[in-house]
């Protein structure tokens, strides 16, 4: 290591050392990606064979199950392996933060090997930048490709009753740019906690808590529509409401008075019929409504989460840089 730092530039020596320390993790990331791609190719081929068989040709879009002619049983594709990949993508920031971010600086600090590296004339900034650059580049590549594999596998069965809808958590949080942003957040959180904690194992435990809590918090914002508001769909009088189709319902249905007040649907719990019309007239209701997010809001959720996670990753990385002089 000393020879590499002395004979080459400080930067090339630092990058070489970063590669030596992280090459096993890079290899694991490549292996996971290769395995996911192979599994996706196998199951997607079976999915396409089933769709091309004609068995699903009579199925329309929307959330209602498509049934088998004659038996009435629902027709479904095998999307469980696809959901497993989505779950892996959701868990990616936790795994990267715990097993890559926390030891990134924390291992050298715990063992004291950073003193030997810095003693060769390398600055703290170079020591940090070389390690975070390799880790971040690999994180972006692996997480981005895993998200791409999910999207490619999912596309033939997207938003169909026999497939997987965009608002399923494994699709909404396990695909798109959000996966990359979440992985970078996990890396940044683990790196900062590895710098702050005295022991790597303690940093790994703290990273597990922080990244896990952030993952659950974002899932909660999806369900509650905290960051992306639902749309209100109104139908005048007692005519049928606009079809739900591919929308993600909040479960909030109701009736509207002439003054614009929104009441619960249970005030007139009747289907579209003479009973419903009579009940609405008695209570002064002039319209019905429901709240839902249209399919286009998939990208609104994606970019909102991405902005939050990238912003946090930048802040955590900046905090790590500011604390380097005090902690190292």
């Amino acid at each position: 290591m000393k020879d590499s730092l002395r004979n080459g530039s400080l930067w090339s020596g630092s990058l070489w050392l970063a590669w030596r320390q992280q090459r096993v993790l890079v290899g694991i990331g490549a292996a996971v990606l290769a395995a996911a791609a192979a599994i996706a190719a196998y199951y997607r081929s079976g999915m396409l064979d089933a769709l091309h068989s004609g068995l699903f040709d009579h199925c329309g879009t929307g959330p209602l199950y498509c049934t088998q002619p004659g038996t009435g049983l629902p027709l479904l594709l095998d999307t469980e392996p696809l959901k497993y990949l989505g779950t892996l993508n959701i868990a990616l920031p936790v795994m990267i933060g715990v097993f890559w971010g926390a030891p990134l600086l924390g291992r050298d600090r715990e063992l004291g090997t950073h003193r030997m590296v810095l003693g060769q004339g390398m600055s703290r900034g170079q020591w940090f930048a070389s390690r975070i650059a390799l880790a971040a580049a690999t994180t972006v590549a692996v997480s981005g490709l895993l998200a791409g594999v999910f999207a490619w596998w999912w596309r033939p069965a997207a938003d169909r009753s026999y497939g997987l809808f965009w608002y399923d958590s494994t699709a909404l949080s396990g695909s798109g740019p959000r996966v990359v942003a979440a992985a970078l957040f996990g890396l940044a959180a683990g790196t900062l906690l590895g710098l702050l904690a005295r022991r790597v194992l303690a940093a790994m435990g703290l990273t597990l808590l922080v990244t896990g809590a952030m993952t659950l918090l974002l899932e909660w914002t999806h369900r509650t529509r905290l960051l992306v508001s639902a749309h209100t769909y109104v139908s005048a009088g007692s005519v049928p409401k606009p079809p739900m189709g591919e929308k993600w319902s909040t479960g909030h249905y109701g009736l509207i008075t002439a003054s614009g007040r929104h009441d619960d649907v249970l005030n007139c719990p009747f289907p579209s019929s003479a009973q419903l019309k009579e009940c609405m007239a008695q209570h002064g209701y002039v319209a019905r409504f429901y709240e839902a997010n249209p399919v286009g809001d998939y990208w609104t959720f994606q970019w909102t989460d991405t902005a939050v996670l990238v912003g946090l990753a930048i802040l955590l990385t900046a905090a790590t840089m500011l604390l380097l002089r005090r902690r190292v």
Side-chain angles (χ1 to χ4, degrees):
M1 181 181 69
K2 291 182 179 179
D3 291 339
S4 67
L5 291 176
R6 287 171 178 169
N7 297 335
S9 68
L10 290 176
W11 267 111
S12 61
S14 178
L15 289 171
W16 174 86
L17 183 58
W19 165 251
R20 292 276 299 179
Q21 292 177 330
Q22 300 180 53
R23 59 184 177 179
V24 173
L25 291 171
V26 173
I28 292 173
V32 169
L33 179 60
I39 292 170
Y42 174 78
Y43 280 101
R44 188 179 189 272
S45 176
M47 179 186 293
L48 291 176
D49 288 343
L51 291 173
H52 293 158
S53 69
L55 187 62
F56 296 87
D57 288 353
H58 67 288
C59 299
T61 60
L64 297 179
Y65 283 122
C66 181
T67 58
Q68 299 179 20
T71 66
L73 297 174
L75 278 174
L76 297 170
L77 290 171
D78 182 13
T79 59
E80 287 304 309
L82 175 61
K83 291 181 180 180
Y84 292 146
L85 176 57
T87 302
L88 171 66
N89 288 348
I90 294 171
L92 208 56
V94 179
M95 294 186 292
I96 288 176
V98 170
F99 297 108
W100 202 323
L104 191 65
L105 303 182
R107 182 66 68 191
D108 278 354
R109 285 194 68 243
E110 183 176 337
L111 298 177
T113 52
H114 65 289
R115 296 189 184 93
M116 182 172 58
V117 176
L118 297 176
Q120 303 301 314
M122 183 184 300
S123 69
R124 291 175 176 83
Q126 288 175 324
W127 176 67
F128 170 66
S130 60
R131 280 152 181 73
I132 197 67
L134 177 59
T138 307
T139 294
V140 169
V142 172
S143 60
L145 289 171
L146 283 174
V149 169
F150 182 95
W152 173 71
W153 185 357
W154 175 39
R155 191 170 296 114
D159 301 328
R160 296 293 187 271
S161 63
Y162 49 78
L164 189 67
F165 278 90
W166 67 270
Y167 49 77
D168 185 280
S169 60
T170 54
L172 185 58
S173 300
S175 65
R178 179 202 186 280
V179 176
V180 179
L184 287 173
F185 165 77
L187 178 66
T191 302
L192 176 58
L193 291 169
L195 182 64
L196 293 174
R198 292 181 178 272
R199 295 288 183 266
V200 172
L201 281 178
M204 294 172 76
L206 290 171
T207 303
L208 176 63
L209 291 175
V210 170
T211 53
M214 189 63 192
T215 300
L216 294 175
L217 178 62
L218 285 176
E219 292 299 316
W220 175 76
T221 65
H222 293 171
R223 293 193 301 272
T224 60
R225 314 304 203 273
L226 182 66
L227 301 179
V228 181
S229 300
H231 300 232
T232 301
Y233 296 87
V234 178
S235 58
S238 60
V239 299
K241 297 185 294 293
M244 185 65 68
E246 299 170 1
K247 304 184 190 76
W248 183 16
S249 173
T250 63
H252 189 197
Y253 300 81
L255 304 116
I256 305 174
T257 64
S259 63
R261 188 182 74 246
H262 287 52
D263 289 345
D264 192 272
V265 69
L266 294 178
N267 287 3
C268 286
F270 304 106
S272 299
S273 64
Q275 284 180 306
L276 174 63
K277 188 174 183 180
E278 181 181 351
C279 180
M280 290 181 66
Q282 289 176 352
H283 292 82
Y285 295 126
V286 297
R288 297 192 292 166
F289 76 92
Y290 67 79
E291 295 177 354
N293 291 90
V295 65
D297 275 357
Y298 167 83
W299 288 108
T300 307
F301 279 104
Q302 281 285 323
W303 292 119
T304 300
D305 283 4
T306 298
V308 170
L309 291 163
V310 168
L312 288 173
I314 292 173
L315 289 174
L316 293 173
T317 303
T320 303
M321 295 174 65
L322 291 173
L323 289 169
L324 274 174
R325 186 170 297 277
R326 296 183 178 181
R327 291 281 175 170
V328 177

